[in-house]
Structure formats: C-alpha cells, structure tokens
Amino acid sequence: MDRLGSFSSDPSDKPPCRGCSSYLMEPYIKCAECGPPPFFLCLQCFTRGFEYKKHQSDHTYEIMTSDFPVLDPSWTAQEEMALLEAVMDCGFGNWQDVANQMCTKSKEECEKHYMKHFINNPLFASTLLNLKQAEEAKTADTAIPFHSTDDPPRPTFDSLLSRDMAGYMPARADFIEEFDNYAEWDLRDIDFVEDDSDILHALKMAVVDIYHSRLKERQRRKKIIRDHGLINLRKFQLMERRYPKEVQDLYETMRRFARIVGPVEHDKFIESHALEFELRREIKRLQEYRTAGITNFCSARTYDHLKKTREEERLKRTMLSEVLQYIQDSSACQQWLRRQADIDSGLSPSIPLASNSGRRSAPPLNLTGLPGTEKLNEKEKELCQMVRLVPGAYLEYKSALLNECNKQGGLRLAQARALIKIDVNKTRKIYDFLIREGYITKA
C-alpha cells in the first residue's frame, strides 16, 4: 500500500538513504511503520527489498515526491518551492534573478505566477489570516493582556499605583518580577553530555521536570489574574463596593475559592447571594407591614412616612438629652450650639462634641530640644504640637507625601494613609495641613 507525500526540494535537507547512504533524489520511499526517526530508502534499495533491523520489505510505505501540481497545472510543487526560495534569496521584484535561479521559468512567468497566487489570491490571504489567528490563539496563554476595553493604567515605576498592580507592565503585557522569579537558576549549570551516567542523566531530567512544574504554577497564577481581571486593583475594588456590607463580607470570604470555580461561576455565586440578600430584606420589610396590620402598598407608604417622622422625633429627643448633659458646662454648651448650627446649615460639624467620660485631651507636645525643630516654620511647629508628632517624623512623612504627589500629579487621602502607617486621625490632619498650605494638591 502506498501514498503520495512531499519533502524539501533541497537534497541536503533530507536524511540519507538507510540502505546505500546516498543523498535521496525524488521520488524516494518512506516507511510508514518505522520511526522515529523516519526510515527513508532510495528507489534502487527499495526495489532490492532492503531490510534493516525492524524494517521489513512488506511494510506500508509512502512515495515522497513533489512532482505534482498545487496551484497551477503547469507548475509542480517542486517549482513552487523553488520559486519561494528564489524570492527569499533574491528579494521581491528582482524577477530576472529569480528566473535565473529557477532555470525552468522565464522572468514574466515567475512574476505573473507569484503575483497571481501569492499576492492577489484571496484564498491564500484568508489562509494566512487563519494561520495567524490560530497561532495567536495558541500563544494566548503566554501573555497577560489587560482584561478591559479601557486603556490600562501606565503608572511610573515604583509608584503607589504600580505597587497596587504588582509591577504589571501594560506595554509588555507582563510583570517586572515573575512568580518564583529565580526558577531558571537551577538550570543554568546543567549540561547534557554523551558520557553522563544513567543516574546523572536521570537526576538532570528530574531537575528539568521540577522546573517545568514551576513554570506551570507561574502560568496558572497568571491565568487566574487574567481571567478574574485582577490587574487593575482599584477598578476591582470599586466593583466590589457596589454590594451591601453583608455581601462584601461574603465576597471577601469566598475570594480564596475563586481560583477553583472560575471567574464566571464565582461572579454568578456572588450575584446570587446578593439577590438572596435583597429578597430577604424585602421579605423582612413585608413581614413588618403584616405585623403592623398593613394589607396594601398604599397603607405601606403612609406607614413608612410616619415611621420616618417618628425617627426624626426620636433624634430630636436624643439631641435634647445631649443638651441636658452639657448645659451645666458653658463651654461644652457653646460647642454643642455651634455644632448644631453647622448641621442645620447643611455643613459637616467642625467642632466635635466633648466627651463626658472624664478623660482629658493630651497637652500639646513640647518641641524644645527635639531634633529637626529648627527646620520647621511656626505653622508646622503648631501642627506638631497639636498632633503630638516629633519634628523628625513629620519631616519624613512630609517628604514621602511630596514625592508621591509629584509622581502622581495629585494625592488622595487614601493614598496618604497607605504611605504613612500611623493613626488615621493624625494622617488626616497632616494631609489637610499640607493641602491648606499648598505643599501638595488634591487628586
């Protein structure tokens, strides 16, 4: 039994005949039952019934030849390959040199055939497109594209946003540091030589297998990041905040299982629980209506209005009790009145209520003799005294906030709190002071 096959047109690219060790010239024979490596015979050895080791003369074989038309009846496959090799060697447009290298076709025939079948052929162009798409699909797992229609953030190196994105580089679709970044070090000194013993060869292969397993783990983690869209952490957090507090807690608990169930299934699970939470809240509201004897939604609206009015009255009684608590202290009473005036005018209360627990606020910090005091102006000294912060620490925090503001073009309070790991109230006062004095700008 025989089949027609094809091989390279250059004899030096083919392995020699296994019978006489001569270069193979088309047509020649390939055994279909031997290999790897493939078992080739020239026609002379094949007709003699050459047999060698496992190869028998009655094995199934293929006739390897390129003497058949592919795109044009007057052009054989061998001439097609010779034309492509000549264009590659001589350059596109040098048709006279191409014809001289081919020897079997004229300049006009080479140009007409190449333009017709390799440039202006829509079938060939679509085939190339399909091959390109297949190649892109095959290598899709090797890069981590930004999973969004928006242009990915491009933060400066070592900025706060860059750290939030784990060093992801959008232009290269990869990370600055890979997971298990030094996995390749174990292979740098391994060299396979022919005189290795079996034990040494097996040991080297085991090291290579370990390296492959570490690469698989690195690729698995990248796939999780890509599938779940975790590169832009801030956008991911904004999506998480759209859920109620109870669902957010569940989201945080179930996050560790997201890599097991997949992104779509995980989102469906969270959405189903969010829907369940909404249904339970609605059922509880309906049960409250039923307990109050309400049987229609018109009465329910009246009930909600009256309930809101009762809540406002209760808050007023609570404020009155606060007045009674502070009425004996004239200073505390004045603070309470100013606070209520701010609330009534729609502003946030600028003066906090004094606590009646008996605790006194800490006295201002004495800066006399502390290092760095001479570098502060009067307003900065007053700030350090009020927040009880030594000048050296203040100068360090101020420098960090200024550098980050210059990198980002602005600074938010959340970013300042991420940079300065101290009490959040002190961070707020430092941040407001630097904004007010013009050292930094708000993002």
Side-chain angles (χ1 to χ4, degrees), residues 188-208:
R188 58 182 177 177
D189 297 326
I190 291 182
D191 187 16
F192 289 89
V193 294
E194 295 182 358
D195 57 350
D196 283 343
S197 63
D198 294 341
I199 296 178
L200 182 58
H201 182 78
L203 180 61
K204 292 180 178 179
M205 291 302 299
V207 174
V208 174

Side-chain angles (χ1 to χ4, degrees), residues 328-341:
Q328 297 177 355
D329 187 349
S330 59
S331 176
C333 183
Q334 291 295 329
Q335 289 184 3
W336 185 89
L337 291 175
R338 287 196 293 270
R339 180 174 181 270
Q340 289 304 121

Side-chain angles (χ1 to χ4, degrees), residues 6-29:
S6 63
F7 205 73
S8 173
S9 60
D10 188 359
S12 62
D13 292 341
K14 310 183 188 71
C17 172
R18 298 298 291 273
C20 60
S21 300
S22 61
Y23 283 117
L24 294 171
M25 301 298 293
E26 295 183 356
Y28 55 95
I29 305 300

Side-chain angles (χ1 to χ4, degrees), residues 79-208:
E79 289 175 331
E80 299 281 3
M81 291 188 293
L83 173 63
L84 296 177
E85 292 175 359
V87 172
M88 186 180 300
D89 294 339
C90 303
F92 178 78
N94 300 322
W95 301 115
Q96 186 60 54
D97 296 336
V98 171
N100 294 337
Q101 182 170 327
M102 285 194 61
C103 301
T104 58
K105 299 293 181 180
S106 66
K107 168 187 174 182
E108 291 75 14
E109 290 175 330
C110 294
E111 180 179 4
K112 180 180 178 181
H113 183 81
Y114 191 87
M115 296 299 295
K116 176 181 179 181
H117 295 285
F118 294 103
I119 300 298
N120 301 324
N121 187 352
L123 177 61
F124 187 71
S126 63
T127 304
L128 286 179
L129 180 61
N130 294 335
L131 290 175
K132 182 178 179 181
Q133 293 175 348
E135 184 67 21
E136 291 177 351
K138 186 186 301 182
T139 59
D141 292 338
T142 60
I144 310 298
F146 186 79
H147 192 67
S148 173
T149 56
D150 302 330
D151 186 48
R154 300 178 184 273
T156 57
F157 176 72
D158 202 28
S159 63
L160 180 62
L161 181 57
S162 176
R163 292 193 293 270
D164 287 344
M165 295 172 64
Y168 179 76
M169 300 176 292
R172 293 178 55 185
D174 212 339
F175 294 88
I176 297 177
E177 288 192 13
E178 299 278 4
F179 169 75
D180 200 0
N181 199 44
Y182 301 101
E184 289 77 9
W185 282 25
D186 295 337
L187 297 179
R188 58 182 177 177
D189 297 326
I190 291 182
D191 187 16
F192 289 89
V193 294
E194 295 182 358
D195 57 350
D196 283 343
S197 63
D198 294 341
I199 296 178
L200 182 58
H201 182 78
L203 180 61
K204 292 180 178 179
M205 291 302 299
V207 174
V208 174

Side-chain angles (χ1 to χ4, degrees), residues 363-411:
L365 179 66
N366 186 7
L367 303 181
T368 305
L370 293 180
T373 306
E374 67 279 359
K375 299 179 181 179
L376 305 180
N377 57 35
E378 293 301 324
K379 292 184 178 180
E380 290 177 327
K381 290 179 181 178
E382 182 180 355
L383 173 68
C384 291
Q385 289 175 346
M386 295 303 298
V387 300
R388 298 185 59 80
L389 192 65
V390 296
Y394 165 77
L395 292 173
E396 181 181 350
Y397 298 151
K398 176 184 175 182
S399 176
L401 294 178
L402 287 177
N403 291 335
E404 188 65 23
C405 181
N406 292 333
K407 290 180 181 179
Q408 301 292 337
L411 195 66

